[in-house]
Amino acid sequence: MSIRLGDIAPDFEQDSSEGRIRFHEWLGDQWGILFSHPADFTPVCTTELGFTAKLKDEFAKRNVKAIALSVDPVESHVKWIGDINETQNTAVNFPILADADRKVSELYDLIHPNANDTLTVRSLFVIDPNKKVRLTITYPASTGRNFNEILRVIDSLQLTDSHKVATPANWQDGDEVVIVPSLKDEDEIKQRFPKGYRAVKPYLRLTPQPNK
Ligand code: BEZ
């Protein structure tokens, strides 16, 4: 099944390097990042999971839990975690789903047969506390993902969920933001954005980033 933005992230129960996981229950009321990698004991995947482990504090600040997935069994994940910790100078601090029966891979459309018949692609889903899918990406096996970009998108989602703003190209936390085009009432704009705004065009109005 392909997953689209706004869909409820499918729930499942599966084994992992940290025991059996009931996904929605495991997420609780936090944000989640579910990401698949092609296989254990492969170089790019080793760097991706190592980097993700190093983002622990950044995830905690944003109330985010991470969970990885491949079709390798639990014993493989556990051995590989030793390699990740050793080579990436970190300690893996999130579960890796052992989707040997491909239950989750099928639910989330993670095997793309025209790319590879048996291995999962590098997909990633950001899931909000209402269990809605808010970001999907899929990268080829040969390209490691930029997890700082995932943090940037989560910053944007969390900001734009609570203010009538959107974030422009290459925005970073603290930069100017865009007032949403649907907000036209000048009194409401003044009340929501007391620091003012500048209109580059009537539809492109920039304002200092509101407090989160
Ligand atoms: C890797 O993680 O290095 C990798 C995995 C599958 C294909 C190519 C590279």
Side-chain angles (χ1 to χ4, degrees):
M1 190 173 94
S2 74
I3 311 265
R4 293 179 172 181
L5 298 187
D7 290 354
I8 297 295
D11 197 14
F12 57 80
E13 190 174 330
Q14 185 56 288
D15 293 328
S16 83
S17 55
E18 297 185 3
R20 193 89 180 149
I21 301 247
R22 283 202 281 270
F23 187 50
H24 282 193
E25 188 182 306
W26 176 84
L27 282 168
D29 59 4
Q30 294 189 260
W31 289 71
I33 295 174
L34 168 65
F35 66 106
S36 55
H37 63 274
D40 294 355
F41 301 103
T42 52
V44 175
C45 303
T46 301
T47 62
E48 284 193 325
L49 273 78
F51 192 79
T52 302
K54 288 182 182 160
L55 292 178
K56 182 178 187 231
D57 292 346
E58 296 301 322
F59 289 144
K61 269 191 230 164
R62 296 164 175 83
N63 197 28
V64 174
K65 292 175 100 171
I67 189 164
L69 172 150
S70 75
V71 294
D72 300 290
V74 168
E75 310 77 60
S76 165
H77 287 338
V78 171
K79 275 195 202 136
W80 182 45
I81 285 170
D83 281 7
I84 299 171
N85 293 348
E86 179 195 326
T87 62
Q88 307 303 303
N89 192 26
T90 190
V92 170
N93 43 43
F94 52 87
I96 309 176
L97 291 164
D99 198 38
D101 63 5
R102 302 182 183 192
K103 181 164 59 180
V104 184
S105 300
E106 277 165 26
L107 269 177
Y108 281 78
D109 194 25
L110 300 176
I111 295 178
H112 298 187
N114 292 327
N116 189 299
D117 274 351
T118 52
L119 302 179
T120 43
V121 289
R122 288 187 205 286
S123 282
L124 182 150
F125 304 86
V126 171
I127 298 161
D128 73 15
N130 296 317
K131 313 286 184 291
K132 273 197 183 163
V133 174
R134 304 294 299 277
L135 172 74
T136 66
I137 61 164
T138 299
Y139 272 39
S142 51
T143 308
R145 288 158 287 195
N146 182 342
F147 285 81
N148 288 320
E149 168 64 2
I150 306 309
L151 292 177
R152 191 187 77 90
V153 176
I154 291 170
D155 284 341
S156 171
L157 287 168
Q158 293 184 344
L159 179 73
T160 59
D161 277 358
S162 51
H163 295 279
K164 290 196 173 181
V165 297
T167 58
N170 298 332
W171 171 86
Q172 296 288 343
D173 192 22
D175 289 353
E176 278 185 319
V177 298
V178 165
I179 298 174
V180 293
S182 58
L183 181 51
K184 309 255 188 243
D185 183 90
E186 282 299 329
D187 290 337
E188 188 180 348
I189 293 176
K190 272 198 191 115
Q191 180 247 314
R192 287 185 180 274
F193 305 107
K195 292 178 190 157
Y197 72 89
R198 58 192 180 92
V200 181
K201 289 280 178 191
Y203 57 83
L204 173 52
R205 300 165 298 175
L206 292 160
T207 188
Q209 179 176 315
N211 295 332
K212 282 191 201 150

